[in-house]
PDB file of all heavy atoms in Angstrom:
ATOM      1  N   ILE A 129       1.399 -29.743-103.421  1.00 94.00           N
ATOM      2  CA  ILE A 129       0.042 -29.283-103.096  1.00 94.00           C
ATOM      3  C   ILE A 129      -0.493 -30.000-101.863  1.00 94.00           C
ATOM      4  O   ILE A 129      -0.218 -31.181-101.651  1.00 94.00           O
ATOM      5  CB  ILE A 129      -0.933 -29.579-104.247  1.00 94.00           C
ATOM      6  CG1 ILE A 129      -0.473 -28.907-105.539  1.00 94.00           C
ATOM      7  CG2 ILE A 129      -2.356 -29.138-103.923  1.00 94.00           C
ATOM      8  CD1 ILE A 129      -1.316 -29.271-106.737  1.00 94.00           C
ATOM      9  N   ARG A 130      -1.268 -29.288-101.065  1.00 96.00           N
ATOM     10  CA  ARG A 130      -2.075 -29.931-100.024  1.00 96.00           C
ATOM     11  C   ARG A 130      -3.488 -29.370-100.151  1.00 96.00           C
ATOM     12  O   ARG A 130      -3.664 -28.151-100.143  1.00 96.00           O
ATOM     13  CB  ARG A 130      -1.566 -29.600 -98.613  1.00 96.00           C
ATOM     14  CG  ARG A 130      -0.172 -30.112 -98.287  1.00 96.00           C
ATOM     15  CD  ARG A 130      -0.120 -31.631 -98.164  1.00 96.00           C
ATOM     16  NE  ARG A 130       1.228 -32.069 -97.868  1.00 96.00           N
ATOM     17  CZ  ARG A 130       2.183 -32.238 -98.772  1.00 96.00           C
ATOM     18  NH1 ARG A 130       1.938 -32.031-100.055  1.00 96.00           N
ATOM     19  NH2 ARG A 130       3.387 -32.621 -98.414  1.00 96.00           N
ATOM     20  N   ASN A 131      -4.464 -30.255-100.273  1.00 95.00           N
ATOM     21  CA  ASN A 131      -5.862 -29.824-100.240  1.00 95.00           C
ATOM     22  C   ASN A 131      -6.420 -30.218 -98.886  1.00 95.00           C
ATOM     23  O   ASN A 131      -6.612 -31.402 -98.618  1.00 95.00           O
ATOM     24  CB  ASN A 131      -6.667 -30.520-101.340  1.00 95.00           C
ATOM     25  CG  ASN A 131      -6.198 -30.117-102.722  1.00 95.00           C
ATOM     26  OD1 ASN A 131      -6.022 -28.935-103.007  1.00 95.00           O
ATOM     27  ND2 ASN A 131      -5.978 -31.099-103.580  1.00 95.00           N
ATOM     28  N   ILE A 132      -6.640 -29.242 -98.034  1.00 95.00           N
ATOM     29  CA  ILE A 132      -7.047 -29.608 -96.676  1.00 95.00           C
ATOM     30  C   ILE A 132      -8.329 -28.894 -96.246  1.00 95.00           C
ATOM     31  O   ILE A 132      -8.706 -27.863 -96.803  1.00 95.00           O
ATOM     32  CB  ILE A 132      -5.941 -29.290 -95.642  1.00 95.00           C
ATOM     33  CG1 ILE A 132      -5.673 -27.786 -95.600  1.00 95.00           C
ATOM     34  CG2 ILE A 132      -4.666 -30.042 -95.950  1.00 95.00           C
ATOM     35  CD1 ILE A 132      -5.627 -27.260 -94.207  1.00 95.00           C
ATOM     36  N   GLY A 133      -8.963 -29.459 -95.263  1.00 92.00           N
ATOM     37  CA  GLY A 133     -10.144 -28.833 -94.683  1.00 92.00           C
ATOM     38  C   GLY A 133      -9.931 -28.668 -93.199  1.00 92.00           C
ATOM     39  O   GLY A 133      -9.000 -29.245 -92.622  1.00 92.00           O
ATOM     40  N   ILE A 134     -10.761 -27.857 -92.595  1.00 90.00           N
ATOM     41  CA  ILE A 134     -10.681 -27.705 -91.147  1.00 90.00           C
ATOM     42  C   ILE A 134     -11.992 -28.198 -90.558  1.00 90.00           C
ATOM     43  O   ILE A 134     -13.057 -27.778 -90.972  1.00 90.00           O
ATOM     44  CB  ILE A 134     -10.433 -26.231 -90.763  1.00 90.00           C
ATOM     45  CG1 ILE A 134      -9.086 -25.787 -91.342  1.00 90.00           C
ATOM     46  CG2 ILE A 134     -10.463 -26.054 -89.253  1.00 90.00           C
ATOM     47  CD1 ILE A 134      -8.752 -24.342 -91.083  1.00 90.00           C
ATOM     48  N   ILE A 135     -11.880 -29.148 -89.651  1.00 87.00           N
ATOM     49  CA  ILE A 135     -13.073 -29.696 -89.018  1.00 87.00           C
ATOM     50  C   ILE A 135     -13.120 -29.167 -87.596  1.00 87.00           C
ATOM     51  O   ILE A 135     -12.164 -29.350 -86.844  1.00 87.00           O
ATOM     52  CB  ILE A 135     -13.013 -31.241 -88.980  1.00 87.00           C
ATOM     53  CG1 ILE A 135     -12.980 -31.793 -90.402  1.00 87.00           C
ATOM     54  CG2 ILE A 135     -14.178 -31.808 -88.198  1.00 87.00           C
ATOM     55  CD1 ILE A 135     -12.834 -33.308 -90.450  1.00 87.00           C
ATOM     56  N   ALA A 136     -14.183 -28.502 -87.243  1.00 85.00           N
ATOM     57  CA  ALA A 136     -14.235 -27.967 -85.890  1.00 85.00           C
ATOM     58  C   ALA A 136     -15.662 -27.791 -85.445  1.00 85.00           C
ATOM     59  O   ALA A 136     -16.551 -27.501 -86.246  1.00 85.00           O
ATOM     60  CB  ALA A 136     -13.519 -26.630 -85.831  1.00 85.00           C
ATOM     61  N   HIS A 137     -15.868 -27.958 -84.176  1.00 81.00           N
ATOM     62  CA  HIS A 137     -17.150 -27.642 -83.574  1.00 81.00           C
ATOM     63  C   HIS A 137     -17.269 -26.118 -83.571  1.00 81.00           C
ATOM     64  O   HIS A 137     -16.251 -25.424 -83.492  1.00 81.00           O
ATOM     65  CB  HIS A 137     -17.151 -28.180 -82.143  1.00 81.00           C
ATOM     66  CG  HIS A 137     -18.421 -27.912 -81.415  1.00 81.00           C
ATOM     67  ND1 HIS A 137     -18.563 -26.865 -80.548  1.00 81.00           N
ATOM     68  CD2 HIS A 137     -19.599 -28.548 -81.458  1.00 81.00           C
ATOM     69  CE1 HIS A 137     -19.797 -26.877 -80.080  1.00 81.00           C
ATOM     70  NE2 HIS A 137     -20.440 -27.888 -80.610  1.00 81.00           N
TER      71      HIS A 137
END
Side-chain angles (χ1 to χ4, degrees):
I129 302 174
R130 296 291 179 278
N131 295 312
I132 63 133
I134 298 178
I135 298 176
H137 180 262

